[in-house]
Amino acid sequence: MITDQLILNAKVYNSYYKRFAAANVAVKEGHFLYVGPLGAETFAAAETIDAKGQYLVPGLIDIHLHIESTMITPETFSYGILQHGVTTIVPEPHEMANVFGVEGVHEMIRASKDCLVDMIYAIPSSVPATPLETTGGSIEISDIDELMETHRIACLGEVMNYVDVIRDPDCKSNHILRHVRSRYPGLVIEGHTPKLLDLDLHSLIYAGIDSDHTHQSIEGLTARIAAGMFIEIQEKSMTPEVVDYLISHPVSEHFCFVTDDVMTDSLVQTGHLDHLVRKAIAMGMAPEDAVYAATYTPARRMKLDDRGVVAPNKTADYLLLSDLSSFAIEAVYKRGLQVYDRKQPQAQAVREPQFPAHFYQSVQLEPLAAGDFAVPASLADGRYGARVMMVNNVSTFTEEKHVEAVVKDGLLEWQETGCGLIATFERYGKNGNRAYGLIGGDTIKRGAVATTYSHDNHNLLVVGHNAADMVLAANTVIAGQGGFCVVCDGKVLALLALPVGGILTEAPLAETAEQVLALRTAMESLGYNHYNPIMSISTHSLPVSPALKITDHGLIDVGAGKVVPLLFPLGEE
């Protein structure tokens, strides 16, 4: 029998029995044809590979991630993750959608069409994430219909405004949910349900949202699985107790591993979905179960029934591993063609520009001055209570703390509070909104950081301890049409230019990784204490992530889903 490829002497992973067995594998026209003992005596192959006892597993599948979180283009992202065995992803481009609306989604899909990694997109459901922020674009029901009609779509992306879904039947998210469930009844709907339990959790599931990828606890994990939710485990949820729970309970059909957000330096140094597989194995999970959670269950969740398995008629995406316990990838194959060889890595081919011209002119802000970091207070002179956003070094969640603050001559004397200042400036030229808050905890202790990479609205966010450094950081970002800048004592310590929509760079992967590492190092040198300081600071403006956040509308009490004042009378906490 004529075939395109024959792999001999492999230890092949069988997803249906979750075990490895010695076998030969035949590939024809990009699909697996045969898995079993027959070999060269039966198959006349154009290419024969002697696996020499290596492990053959399906290509990894990541069903919840945001390419923009790595701050690189789809083409660069594909180049990077292929080296880590990821062959299919379900990206949700809600960052680009927040900047450019449905055009941003179309352009991300267009930029992905020639990538080696299969990118089957999720439609952003929550743009903006809440009504409590200003964005450059939005996604409406008509946009969802347009995307469904013109592209291959995997799912409706994470519905983020869980507060309104539960409390307001007439909110935008509920209109979208009702439309999608009626018009596209088979479409998977992804969720974002931090800390919800009992009736609130069940109400969200009743609305059609049946997955969660947020930070898990044992209590929350148990409640979600018991109620029929599918759980997407990202690294921050891989605590010893959660992994032990996944190992010791019969829940393998109810979860998978996802990355959600990966910094560029981490992608290069540590890996991608393969890192989570490796980590799970190191924490005691059987390799067969870890592989299952990165291939089979994510494919089933997204109804990608043509992949995630080494079996006849399935897409021939596979990896060869020299060692199973360390998940050591030697080669990656896409539809039976080798796309990565550890011994002969290929240099990245970079081209630019990859987006329309106006995508490089999205920051519509005039330069700022010191007066822009003087906080106005329409209150009588005196002492007041003040809300402080407290950064937590083990989570992107924040806490609310109260301190005393002085108002004098219509201004808040914020530098006398012992806290830093956080400010955000609407940058799309729509309304000129700005808002201020106090910040403390595990954030910077001196200098300033400014960025337009601020989830999900991507307005200009500035954190600092003196006006001069904040002005320099902010204006450096504005002048470059977006980016990340760290400043101390009047000197730029690190700069990452993000000229595409203020959130992406077209620089090569290795160069970007070096710049991101420099950015991380500079933030840490100013006292930022966090496992991922870049993601931490960029989610200070995410009004669906507990507990106190900031947008151009003001400080947001996330649990209550409303704007709250920075200052309040003492004794009225």
Side-chain angles (χ1 to χ4, degrees), residues 141 159 161-179 181 203-204 206-207:
I141 287 175
V159 179
N161 190 7
Y162 57 91
V163 173
D164 282 356
V165 171
I166 294 168
R167 301 179 186 176
D168 181 6
D170 200 40
C171 74
K172 177 180 173 180
S173 293
N174 275 323
H175 280 287
I176 288 174
L177 284 167
R178 287 192 289 268
H179 176 79
R181 296 180 74 184
S203 297
L204 208 70
Y206 182 80

Side-chain angles (χ1 to χ4, degrees), residues 526-545:
L526 300 184
Y528 216 117
N529 175 27
H530 198 278
Y531 67 90
N532 189 342
I534 297 171
M535 186 54 61
S536 171
I537 198 170
S538 70
T539 54
H540 292 348
S541 53
L542 183 58
V544 294
S545 174

Side-chain angles (χ1 to χ4, degrees), residues 411-424:
L411 294 174
L412 170 65
E413 296 188 339
W414 63 267
Q415 289 175 296
E416 308 305 316
T417 64
C419 302
L421 179 69
I422 182 168
T424 186

Side-chain angles (χ1 to χ4, degrees), residues 58 77 86 97 217 220 232 283 300 335 417 428 466 498 535 556:
F77 193 74
V86 182
S217 65
E232 296 161 2
M283 295 178 75
R300 298 294 82 73
R335 293 183 178 84
T417 64
Y428 300 105
N466 67 83
L498 300 172
M535 186 54 61
I556 308 297

Side-chain angles (χ1 to χ4, degrees), residues 279-294:
K279 183 171 184 174
I281 294 170
M283 295 178 75
M285 185 175 289
E288 293 83 354
D289 292 333
V291 170
Y292 194 77

Side-chain angles (χ1 to χ4, degrees), residues 10-56:
K11 298 185 182 77
V12 180
Y13 180 70
N14 186 293
S15 304
Y16 305 114
Y17 282 99
K18 293 189 203 173
R19 67 190 183 198
F20 287 89
N24 302 320
V25 179
V27 175
K28 185 175 183 178
E29 297 178 348
H31 291 75
F32 296 114
L33 170 66
Y34 171 81
V35 182
L38 300 179
E41 77 287 350
T42 303
F43 300 102
E47 178 188 25
T48 299
I49 300 168
D50 186 354
K52 298 180 180 178
Q54 292 186 114
Y55 297 87
L56 191 155

Side-chain angles (χ1 to χ4, degrees), residues 170-368:
D170 200 40
C171 74
K172 177 180 173 180
S173 293
N174 275 323
H175 280 287
I176 288 174
L177 284 167
R178 287 192 289 268
H179 176 79
V180 167
R181 296 180 74 184
S182 171
R183 185 160 179 176
Y184 314 105
L187 190 66
V188 173
I189 300 175
E190 291 285 274
H192 172 104
T193 63
K195 298 187 175 182
L196 293 185
L197 294 169
D198 201 43
L199 181 57
D200 283 347
L201 176 64
H202 288 215
S203 297
L204 208 70
I205 297 171
Y206 182 80
I209 300 166
D210 63 351
S211 78
D212 184 31
H213 69 280
T214 61
H215 198 163
Q216 298 297 327
S217 65
I218 296 300
E219 180 185 26
L221 185 65
T222 304
R224 281 156 176 70
I225 293 175
M229 263 195 164
F230 185 82
I231 309 300
E232 296 161 2
I233 299 289
Q234 54 177 299
E235 186 172 11
K236 65 184 178 184
S237 290
M238 293 179 70
T239 59
E241 57 271 19
V242 167
V243 174
D244 286 347
Y245 183 96
L246 298 175
I247 292 170
S248 60
H249 291 75
V251 295
S252 62
E253 302 304 319
H254 306 292
F255 81 93
C256 72
F257 294 124
V258 300
T259 58
D260 196 9
D261 305 296
V262 175
M263 293 294 101
T264 323
D265 58 335
S266 296
L267 172 59
V268 170
Q269 295 174 356
T270 309
H272 197 258
L273 197 59
D274 61 321
H275 168 61
L276 272 63
V277 173
R278 217 174 283 119
K279 183 171 184 174
I281 294 170
M283 295 178 75
M285 185 175 289
E288 293 83 354
D289 292 333
V291 170
Y292 194 77
T295 56
Y296 186 83
T297 52
R300 298 294 82 73
R301 166 65 185 169
M302 287 297 156
K303 302 180 180 180
L304 302 175
D305 296 329
D306 63 336
R307 64 194 66 207
V309 178
V310 180
N313 200 36
K314 303 299 183 182
T315 302
D317 295 349
Y318 66 92
L319 321 178
L320 290 177
L321 313 175
S322 57
D323 182 73
L324 184 59
S325 60
S326 63
F327 207 74
I329 300 171
E330 296 299 320
V332 179
Y333 290 80
K334 195 83 182 73
R335 293 183 178 84
L337 299 176
Q338 187 180 75
V339 291
Y340 171 72
D341 182 346
R342 184 186 64 80
K343 296 176 181 177
Q344 295 179 313
Q346 293 183 338
Q348 180 184 0
V350 177
R351 60 182 178 85
E352 55 180 307
Q354 298 176 40
F355 291 88
H358 64 280
F359 274 48
Y360 304 87
Q361 298 293 326
S362 68
V363 180
Q364 303 298 315
L365 263 179
E366 295 297 319
L368 302 181

Side-chain angles (χ1 to χ4, degrees), residues 445-491:
K445 304 300 185 288
R446 59 189 184 279
V449 181
T451 185
T452 48
Y453 174 78
S454 54
H455 296 288
D456 279 343
N457 50 70
H458 301 295
N459 286 311
L460 177 66
L461 184 75
V462 188
V463 173
H465 286 268
N466 67 83
D469 283 349
M470 296 175 84
V471 168
L472 177 57
N475 287 342
T476 301
V477 170
I478 292 170
Q481 278 295 310
F484 235 118
C485 184
V486 182
V487 169
C488 190
D489 297 330
K491 179 182 178 181

